[in-house]
């Protein structure tokens, strides 16, 4: 028997849970449960202004409605500033962080053209400021802090997507670990939390895959273990159009007015290739035969009737 598997689902309640979030939750949960492990729930409400209490409460009740039963206490990132602070100090002691005084507008202007996508590469503007210059600027403006990244490739071996390699200096360049308003950045919080909770596997959306090397680099600097990763494909509609934007409009609350809990789970399980046809089912029923490697690498199609938002008709 290998060591205990510990997974987690970690939603950011800055909006309502939508089918993409739900699929992540289902796959993260089943992957762990199928191997007799524990699944934790972490609320990524680092940015309290974007994650009001009402949305946190709604998120918890939505997950409860679907039948998720989490192990251990729920972790709230908004309550863990001291832990992030400690990791940040560690990075400072290593000489890996430096203050960045760039305004949003400056960063926008200096953005280098890069292969036509939306990838942002920090040009290193504040990397070599003289200490006296830093001191002078500190008096005028609270800086963000960036992590100095090496010109080095880091590879993620992903259980669904295969191997993904990126050079941190090229993608994304020195990235922010603490914002000017003292809110710690997502990557820092995530690696601190995963390590402290003993997380051994991370199942989450494909949109984070390209940033995973940043998290692996942070783990290396902080002496933390790297969990196993599985990045699940994006959901698309019957025409192959990505739901990223549109799915924000299809909240679980609206789905649950039209479908039963079992229908919602069954439809998502079908989209992920877990069952051969759309049929109502429970999370429990999916556990025995679950195999994460059966989830395809390509976009996952949701049946049209699931996406027809009744509020528009
Ligand atoms: Zn800067």
């Amino acid at each position: 028997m290998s060591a205990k598997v510990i997974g987690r689902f970690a939603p950011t309640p800055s909006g309502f849970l939508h089918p993409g979030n739900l699929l992540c939750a289902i796959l993260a949960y089943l992957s762990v449960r199928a191997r007799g492990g524990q699944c934790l729930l972490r609320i990524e409400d680092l940015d309290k202004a974007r994650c009001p209490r009402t949305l946190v409460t709604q998120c918890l009740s939505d997950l409860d409605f679907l039948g998720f039963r989490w192990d251990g206490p729920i972790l709230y990132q908004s309550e863990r500033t001291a832990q992030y602070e400690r990791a940040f100090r560690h990075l400072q002691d290593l000489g890996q962080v430096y203050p960045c005084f760039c305004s949003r507008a400056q960063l926008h202007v200096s953005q280098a053209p890069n292969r036509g996508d939306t990838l942002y590469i920090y040009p290193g503007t504040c990397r070599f400021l003289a200490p006296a210059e830093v001191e002078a600027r500190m008096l005028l403006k609270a800086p963000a802090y960036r992590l100095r990244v090496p010109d080095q490739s880091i590879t993620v071996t992903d259980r669904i997507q295969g191997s993904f390699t990126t050079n941190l200096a090229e993608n994304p360049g020195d990235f922010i670990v603490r914002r000017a308003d003292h809110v710690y950045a997502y990557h820092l919080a995530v690696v601190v939390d995963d390590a402290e909770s003993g997380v051994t596997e991370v199942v989450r959306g494909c949109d984070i895959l390209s940033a995973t090397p940043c998290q692996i680099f942070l783990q290396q600097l902080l002496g933390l273990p790297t969990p196993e990763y599985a990045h699940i494909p994006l959901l698309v509609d019957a025409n192959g159009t990505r739901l990223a934007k549109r799915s924000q409009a299809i909240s679980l609350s609206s789905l649950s007015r039209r479908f039963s809990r079992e229908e919602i789970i069954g439809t998502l399980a079908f989209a992920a290739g877990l069952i051969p046809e759309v049929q109502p089912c429970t999370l429990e029923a999916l556990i025995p035969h679950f195999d994460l490697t059966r989830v395809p690498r390509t976009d996952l199609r949701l049946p049209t009737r699931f996406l027809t938002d009744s509020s528009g008709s």
Side-chain angles (χ1 to χ4, degrees):
M1 202 55 196
S2 54
K4 191 142 189 104
V5 178
I6 300 179
R8 46 59 158 202
F9 175 56
T12 301
S14 56
F16 294 116
L17 288 178
H18 55 75
N21 304 134
L22 299 178
L23 186 63
C24 274
I26 290 172
L27 295 179
Y29 190 80
L30 294 176
S31 176
V32 168
R33 286 281 184 259
R35 291 189 283 165
Q38 294 186 325
C39 198
L40 315 175
L41 177 64
R42 181 169 77 226
I43 301 296
E44 301 202 326
D45 56 349
L46 271 174
D47 190 337
K48 279 168 123 166
R50 284 182 60 229
C51 304
R53 196 69 221 171
T54 48
L55 285 176
V56 174
T57 307
Q58 183 66 50
C59 172
L60 297 178
S61 90
D62 284 351
L63 293 170
D64 202 49
F65 164 77
L66 287 175
F68 290 101
R69 298 294 174 260
W70 310 102
D71 295 295
I74 301 169
L75 218 63
Y76 293 87
Q77 289 190 327
S78 59
E79 295 172 358
R80 295 179 43 76
T81 309
Q83 282 85 344
Y84 309 143
E85 174 83 22
R86 202 177 311 139
F88 177 74
R89 296 288 168 223
H90 188 156
L91 296 172
Q92 271 191 320
D93 292 345
L94 295 172
Q96 283 290 147
V97 296
Y98 63 87
C100 168
F101 300 91
C102 298
S103 67
R104 208 175 278 263
Q106 278 173 308
L107 292 174
H108 191 71
V109 167
S110 66
Q111 179 156 3
N114 41 58
R115 303 187 294 280
D117 55 26
T118 54
L119 181 70
Y120 171 71
I121 301 168
Y122 180 64
T125 318
C126 302
R127 202 183 222 233
F128 301 108
L129 291 180
E133 178 74 17
V134 168
E135 228 169 280
R137 292 199 192 190
M138 286 278 199
L139 297 174
L140 302 171
K141 185 182 179 185
Y145 282 83
R146 288 184 184 273
L147 190 75
R148 217 178 279 278
V149 302
D151 184 4
Q152 178 197 325
S153 288
I154 290 190
T155 297
V156 189
T157 308
D158 191 271
R159 288 169 65 199
I160 296 174
Q161 304 298 330
S163 181
F164 174 82
T165 301
T166 190
N167 184 314
L168 291 181
E170 292 167 6
N171 170 22
D174 295 346
F175 59 90
I176 288 181
V177 287
R178 196 181 83 180
R179 299 189 334 204
D181 60 3
H182 284 232
V183 173
Y184 287 96
Y186 169 73
H187 293 320
L188 181 69
V190 164
V191 301
V192 168
D193 291 343
D194 282 342
E196 196 176 303
S197 302
V199 166
T200 62
E201 76 163 32
V202 172
V203 177
R204 61 186 176 191
C206 218
D207 48 335
I208 314 283
L209 176 63
S210 66
T212 301
C214 294
Q215 297 184 8
I216 293 177
F217 180 57
L218 275 169
Q219 288 155 357
Q220 292 169 352
L221 287 174
L222 294 167
L224 305 175
T226 293
E228 275 196 295
Y229 288 103
H231 287 86
I232 65 172
L234 298 174
L235 282 174
V236 296
D237 65 16
N239 300 319
T241 308
R242 297 199 163 167
L243 295 176
K245 281 270 155 52
R246 196 176 147 198
S247 61
Q248 290 294 335
I250 312 161
S251 66
L252 178 63
S253 319
S254 75
L255 288 174
S256 65
R257 281 195 294 274
R258 294 184 291 138
F259 302 104
S260 70
R261 161 188 30 201
E262 289 76 17
E263 283 174 318
I264 294 170
I265 291 171
T267 304
L268 289 167
F270 168 74
L274 304 184
I275 49 177
E277 56 193 31
V278 179
Q279 61 182 58
C281 64
T282 61
L283 286 171
E284 292 301 314
L286 291 167
I287 293 173
H289 307 294
F290 181 78
D291 179 2
L292 192 64
T293 60
R294 284 221 303 263
V295 176
R297 286 167 76 161
T298 50
D299 292 347
L300 306 176
R301 272 169 209 270
L302 267 181
T304 304
R305 80 181 186 106
F306 199 62
L307 295 170
T308 313
D309 188 357
S310 57
S311 69
S313 59

